Amino acid sequence: MIPQFEFAAFVWTSYAIFAIIVAWQIIQPILRRRRLEAEIREEMALKLGESTDDPNP
Amino acid sequence: MWQTIKVGFHKLGSPPIFYRVCQVLSPWLWAGFAVSLVIGLYYALYVVPPDYQQSDSFRILYIHVPSAWQAMAGYLVMSILAVIALVWRIRTTEIMAMSAAPIGAAFTLICLATGSIWGRPMWGTFWAWDARLTSMLILLFIYLGIMGLYAAFEDKRKGARVACILILVGLVNIPIIHFSVEWWTTLHQGRGISFVGESTMDASMKPPLIWMIVATKLLFTAALLDRSRNELIEQDRRKGWIRQKLGASV
């Protein structure tokens, strides 16, 4: 149940801003780590592919 | 005892050990944050009665004050890390100092935004160029300046060292923020909340504040470890140890 407050618009706007910024603090590092890990794995796969390619087919 | 601390301190300077420590501690800190946040919000929104003067608008205090304190505490932590980075040239502390800036900026932004919203019904204005508000805005600009300066350098170690000097220069703003309500006549209220001495805040209103302070501290630490770990992955992406760790978790 959502409590009914006086000055509700001010209170809930403040809490919404807090929630958005906190959520960003949680999500942003997760997204960055996923992107970094994907990039590194891609680089590793490319390197592995290069090393297994026969230079004299 | 001292020897153990010294050895532990030096071990944390090793990127693989630091990476592992971040990996192990982070979930516990996030869990602690979630628990303290839920308890804090429950008390702040459902248990504590309205203030006799400010009515329900005072509930903004439970996010405004912990964020403001964390914005300043985060700067102090960042300054300590900057000193260690400059004196001992430990790369992991450089990384931590740089990773602390966006989190500190986020808390400063929460403080400024919620303070401004709280100001409208209480002061009749969203903004006043008084000492407390202005010095807090300067703190946000310092945080953004540190982030920008670090990002501007291609050589991350050089960028971190220059940004660490800026951190120490900006440290002068912290006592200005803290004492601004005493040194100047401000629209912002004076210091009234204390957990040890005399406080103008009723004891029944303190528990949610304590929980929210704990929550913001845990959030700062957890986000700091996560961001530091990411920065370490970014910097050491071509090194064998990071490829070994990521390869093992495929």
Side-chain angles (χ1 to χ4, degrees):
Chain A
M1 195 185 91
I2 297 169
Q4 300 299 311
F5 294 140
E6 201 180 344
F7 303 113
F10 297 100
V11 174
W12 291 120
T13 307
S14 299
Y15 276 81
I17 289 170
F18 176 77
I20 291 165
I21 297 175
V22 166
W24 181 244
Q25 289 303 311
I26 297 166
I27 295 163
Q28 198 272 341
I30 295 169
L31 295 178
R32 191 181 172 205
R33 185 156 59 246
R34 279 188 188 167
R35 183 180 56 78
L36 279 169
E37 286 179 0
E39 282 174 13
I40 293 167
R41 283 189 186 124
E42 202 177 324
E43 283 172 20
M44 283 163 74
L46 277 172
K47 208 174 172 185
L48 197 71
E50 278 171 20
S51 63
T52 52
D53 277 350
D54 189 349
N56 302 306
Chain B
M1 172 71 179
W2 173 242
Q3 192 61 24
T4 315
I5 295 169
K6 207 172 149 186
V7 170
F9 180 72
H10 282 283
K11 272 186 177 174
L12 277 177
S14 156
I17 293 174
F18 177 74
Y19 182 96
R20 182 76 191 130
V21 169
C22 292
Q23 203 175 22
V24 170
L25 287 181
S26 173
W28 293 101
L29 291 166
W30 283 119
F33 160 70
V35 171
S36 47
L37 182 76
V38 168
I39 298 171
L41 288 178
Y42 175 72
Y43 270 94
L45 298 173
Y46 291 93
V47 178
V48 171
D51 181 68
Y52 81 108
Q53 280 182 321
Q54 299 194 27
S55 184
D56 287 310
S57 75
F58 101 99
R59 292 177 203 278
I60 297 171
L61 174 143
Y62 295 119
I63 47 174
H64 175 75
V65 172
S67 300
W69 288 3
Q70 193 50 51
M72 291 194 285
Y75 201 94
L76 292 177
V77 170
M78 193 170 70
S79 303
I80 293 166
L81 291 165
V83 169
I84 296 170
L86 287 172
V87 175
W88 285 285
R89 301 277 172 101
I90 301 172
R91 191 162 64 96
T92 49
T93 53
E94 279 174 15
I95 287 171
M96 284 182 85
M98 295 306 107
S99 303
I103 314 166
F107 279 114
T108 313
L109 189 62
I110 293 172
C111 168
L112 286 168
T114 56
S116 179
I117 293 166
W118 194 5
R120 186 68 185 92
M122 292 303 113
W123 302 335
T125 179
F126 282 110
W127 187 261
W129 290 101
D130 88 349
R132 174 55 71 86
L133 277 69
T134 308
S135 55
M136 210 63 199
L137 184 65
I138 290 169
L139 180 68
L140 178 66
F141 292 152
I142 293 171
Y143 272 128
L144 295 178
I146 292 160
M147 289 159 65
L149 192 59
Y150 179 59
F153 280 82
E154 208 166 308
D155 179 347
K156 289 294 170 195
R157 293 217 65 184
K158 199 174 175 183
R161 278 199 290 278
V162 175
C164 281
I165 294 167
L166 178 60
I167 291 170
L168 298 182
V169 173
L171 190 59
V172 73
N173 191 42
I174 298 299
I176 294 174
I177 296 171
H178 186 72
F179 293 108
S180 57
V181 288
E182 290 174 17
W183 292 345
W184 294 282
T185 306
T186 59
L187 191 58
H188 191 283
Q189 70 170 69
R191 280 189 289 157
I193 303 165
S194 173
F195 294 105
V196 281
E198 203 176 307
S199 176
T200 55
M201 192 182 201
D202 189 76
S204 67
M205 291 173 167
K206 283 182 183 173
L209 185 61
I210 294 168
W211 281 108
M212 291 303 281
I213 288 167
V214 170
T216 50
K217 298 267 175 287
L218 291 170
L219 168 63
F220 180 87
T221 316
L224 179 63
L225 295 186
D226 279 4
R227 282 176 181 272
S228 301
R229 188 151 66 113
N230 286 350
E231 192 60 33
L232 199 58
I233 295 171
E234 175 88 66
Q235 286 188 18
D236 287 1
R237 61 191 297 162
R238 306 211 189 285
K239 292 189 179 167
W241 74 268
I242 209 94
R243 295 194 165 216
Q244 211 173 12
K245 278 199 186 292
L246 293 181
S249 62
V250 174

